[in-house]
Amino acid sequence: MSPETPADARRVLDRCDELAAVSSSATGVERVHLSPEHARANAIAADWMAQAGLRTWCDQAGNQWGRLEGREPGLPALVLGSHLDTVTDAGRYDGILGVLSAIEVARRLAPRAGELPFALELVAFSDEEGTRFSTALTGSSAVAGTWHEDWWERTDRDGVTVRQAAEAFGLDPSRIGEAAREPQDLVGYLELHIEQGPQLEAAGRALGVVASIAGARRFTGRVVGEARHAGGTPYPKRRDALVGAGEVVLAVERLAVELDGIATVGRLQAFPGGVNVVPGLVEFSLDVRAEHDADRDALVEAITAHARAACARRGLGLELTETHRAAGVYCDAELTASVVAGIAATGDHDPLRTWSRAGHDAMAIAAITPVAMVFVRCEDGISHAPTEAVTLPDVAAGIDALEAAVLDVAARRS
Ligand code: GLV
Ligand code: MN
Ligand code: MN
């Protein structure tokens, strides 16, 4: 551990606390894409990047960047980053820890950036979670040049489109293409992230290396029945959308376990929502993952077939609309070797390798440059919840490993 490590890690944790206060919710952390809180977090991160010696800019997708030139100006960049947006009622480390650790690494390396055979760039992605517009990885997809034009018309729960929100944020939708980066301008992308699962803790390891990242598919579902009087409607005449949706939810869990995948209904709402009305409509979300895309797709098929049959038996309609699909990606072997070398520099010479059940911006960036990831242990594997927690020594180890990984990439390229 470098003598400055505990102070760096303390600063990262203090800054995580500072950013947690940049929230649209008075009771928890919520910072969504293209919101005033997003602008504020970007400005704070830009200030910290500038203090670390970086030149900063915000791109047309709302991603905040910083750059240190290497041994000559204009070299391709090794990019370190993660995201600053959050889920609703979030923790304070998912994404944020990766951005702030990267700033510490840049701060350490700034005095000798002139020796690096690449530029070092930092990025704080704008929309990994998809909380506001139900479509994830849009900031990193814009950088990868895989922006979808139909995303502009996606709406938030108040009916505001991505286009309107982007304009209010000060972005110009006609210039989204300027956010895209060219493969020849990049060396690779390294992302540090909390594990968001319990494997590192169970193995007694502070850090782990990510072999691959599972790609999720997400859907909006509607079960359509008939709203009627809760007292007067005999059971043979009921077409209760909530009871049908209940069958769907139970099948989602059962099939995911049977087929060794992961599927979650995270949002469900019954309409019209009266205590004395048989629910006529249920809207719900569905998130499906597996280590391999083919297994995930098989699970989607099984859930769909079962849900259709269950709804048909009850005289209910079922509509499923896909809102997000990310292909799983394998991390790059050579860049991963640098992550392994980085973790070895912290004393763990045989780090735990795992596949990420959570999605990350690295998945989108893999379309244009090699990617690799380091995981940091989090308490009880908890994430996407206010109780997310990390320890100072683990964060210190993460910063050291990320710095050592960058230096290993530099050594391999010199
Ligand atoms: C991102 O946090 C995800 O849903 O995996
Ligand atoms: Mn997340
Ligand atoms: Mn994340």
Side-chain angles (χ1 to χ4, degrees), residues 330-405:
Y330 288 94
C331 292
D332 177 73
E334 192 177 332
L335 213 47
T336 296
S338 291
V339 168
V340 170
I343 296 174
T346 69
D348 181 353
H349 294 276
D350 184 21
L352 187 96
R353 275 175 196 265
T354 186
W355 59 277
S356 177
R357 280 82 175 154
H360 300 289
D361 291 297
M363 305 166 77
I365 296 304
I368 49 166
T369 198
V371 303
M373 290 191 68
V374 54
F375 269 173
V376 177
R377 168 170 55 191
C378 56
E379 190 180 314
D380 199 22
I382 294 173
S383 183
H384 284 186
T387 43
E388 238 173 41
V390 291
T391 67
L392 185 83
D394 287 1
V395 172
I399 297 167
D400 283 350
L402 191 60
E403 180 191 21

Side-chain angles (χ1 to χ4, degrees), residues 24 27 31 48 71 73 80 84 90 93 118 150 164 170 186 257-258 261 263 344 361 403:
S24 58
T27 54
R31 196 168 48 249
W48 290 336
R71 66 180 166 221
L80 312 181
L84 290 182
Y93 305 110
F118 42 71
D150 62 355
Q164 289 166 335
L186 301 171
V257 171
E258 278 174 21
D361 291 297
E403 180 191 21

Side-chain angles (χ1 to χ4, degrees), residues 83 87 94 128-129 136-137 193 196 214 216 218 287 289 356-360 363 383-384:
H83 61 96
V87 294
D94 172 2
E128 190 270 353
E129 305 284 7
L137 303 171
H193 202 286
Q196 307 183 281
R218 294 190 183 140
D287 174 294
R289 309 170 191 226
S356 177
R357 280 82 175 154
H360 300 289
M363 305 166 77
S383 183
H384 284 186

Side-chain angles (χ1 to χ4, degrees), residues 32-34 38 59-63 83 85 124-152 154 162 166 171 176 179-180 218 323-326 360-361 363-365:
V32 299
H33 190 37
L34 301 174
H38 170 189
D59 72 16
Q60 287 294 339
N63 302 308
H83 61 96
D85 66 309
F125 286 115
S126 57
D127 182 33
E128 190 270 353
E129 305 284 7
T131 305
R132 181 171 179 188
F133 297 103
S134 295
T135 186
L137 303 171
T138 65
S140 42
S141 295
V143 172
T146 55
W147 177 269
H148 289 254
E149 279 303 306
D150 62 355
W151 287 346
W152 290 120
R154 294 283 177 102
V162 174
L171 304 172
I176 188 71
R218 294 190 183 140
T323 55
H324 168 76
R325 184 194 296 222
H360 300 289
D361 291 297
M363 305 166 77
I365 296 304

